[in-house]
Amino acid sequence: KQEVTQIPAALSVPEGENLVLNCSFTDSAIYNLQWFRQDPGKGLTSLLLIQSSQREQTSGRLNASLDKSSGRSTLYIAASQPGDSATYLCAVRPGNTPLVFGKGTRLSVIA
Amino acid sequence: ETGVTQSPTHLIKTRGQQVTLRCSSQSGHNTVSWYQQALGQGPQFIFQYYREEENGRGNFPPRFSGLQFPNYSSELNVNALELDDSALYLCASSLGGLGGGYEQYFGPGTRLTVT
């Protein structure tokens, strides 16, 4: 059974700092991996989608990497801003099955 | 291009009642998935509809049921509500059912509170 773990559960950083969020999964047989942002009480906003054949994806200040063989992904946020404060969720698509999510990392960026 | 929409935004129900949540999929998408997100947890898959047929179900009891309409919009019905059903219910649309690894696009969610 696929399980997704995100570390740390919560993170507080000063504005301007670069940071890394970690995601690990137990079964490397995945179609793709997605990183989402969730503001309190709101839905999910897709940030980056990495297909199983890719190693990384970039969007603006965000960079996500995927190491399928070791079951790991990282989300790198450069020059963090208070507006980046949210919960970041990692989810994998293990073949012909729905998304399996981690519990998320709650990020606070302090001005 | 219209995104995924859900209604209502918030809902308060009493234990034992029934509730219907609605979702309109993104234009061109034929697949709708429903997820339940309890406070502090990641979303859990309830079921998925592809071209009006259920084609995948998570570990949820039969009192959770759904429909998909010819325009690919969808409903989630929950009977005999329990306190533990209190959660954020998320709808996601995509192409191609469970196969193919298509990207899912999520709606804003419906917050259900059962008292």
Side-chain angles (χ1 to χ4, degrees):
Chain A
K1 176 187 172 188
Q2 178 74 262
E3 293 183 358
V4 178
T5 303
Q6 291 188 245
I7 294 173
L11 182 63
S12 183
V13 300
E15 182 178 5
E17 192 162 296
N18 302 326
L19 58 100
V20 174
L21 307 182
N22 296 293
C23 171
S24 62
F25 46 96
T26 53
D27 188 342
S28 62
I30 61 170
Y31 266 153
N32 57 44
L33 181 145
Q34 266 182 280
W35 281 94
F36 294 90
R37 170 186 172 136
Q38 186 174 34
D39 293 297
K42 304 296 185 182
L44 306 182
T45 300
S46 180
L47 298 174
L48 291 164
L49 170 71
I50 311 177
Q51 300 293 351
S52 62
S53 58
Q54 298 175 318
R55 293 300 300 263
E56 65 178 326
Q57 283 284 348
T58 297
S59 175
R61 295 182 293 109
L62 305 179
N63 175 276
S65 68
L66 173 63
D67 184 343
K68 231 177 55 162
S69 61
S70 67
R72 293 180 182 180
S73 176
T74 61
L75 178 66
Y76 175 84
I77 302 177
S80 59
Q81 303 170 357
D84 295 331
S85 297
T87 296
Y88 291 81
L89 291 157
C90 167
V92 298
R93 176 69 74 88
N96 288 336
T97 59
L99 289 172
V100 178
F101 284 85
K103 292 184 178 181
T105 293
R106 191 172 67 254
L107 173 66
S108 296
V109 181
I110 311 301
Chain B
E1 183 179 90
T2 306
V4 180
T5 60
Q6 292 186 242
S7 63
T9 305
H10 297 92
L11 203 50
I12 299 175
K13 289 286 189 179
T14 302
R15 190 171 51 183
Q17 287 187 315
Q18 178 266 342
V19 68
T20 297
L21 310 182
R22 294 178 175 83
C23 171
S24 291
S25 59
Q26 185 163 310
S27 177
H29 287 180
N30 55 19
T31 302
V32 172
S33 304
W34 287 91
Y35 293 82
Q36 179 196 66
Q37 187 180 23
L39 203 59
Q41 303 294 313
Q44 298 291 317
F45 175 71
I46 302 174
F47 47 57
Q48 179 178 83
Y49 280 83
Y50 171 60
R51 293 183 175 177
E52 302 179 59
E53 296 285 334
E54 182 181 302
N55 79 331
R57 190 177 184 92
N59 189 27
F60 281 81
R63 59 189 185 83
F64 285 78
S65 63
L67 282 174
Q68 187 178 34
F69 301 99
N71 66 354
Y72 302 133
S73 66
S74 177
E75 287 182 354
L76 164 65
N77 299 290
V78 187
N79 293 321
L81 284 166
E82 301 177 359
L83 296 179
D84 284 348
D85 295 333
S86 295
L88 181 67
Y89 287 84
L90 296 164
C91 164
S93 77
S94 62
L95 291 168
L98 283 173
Y102 295 100
E103 185 171 3
Q104 294 194 329
Y105 296 83
F106 282 79
T110 293
R111 169 70 62 187
L112 172 65
T113 301
V114 183
T115 62

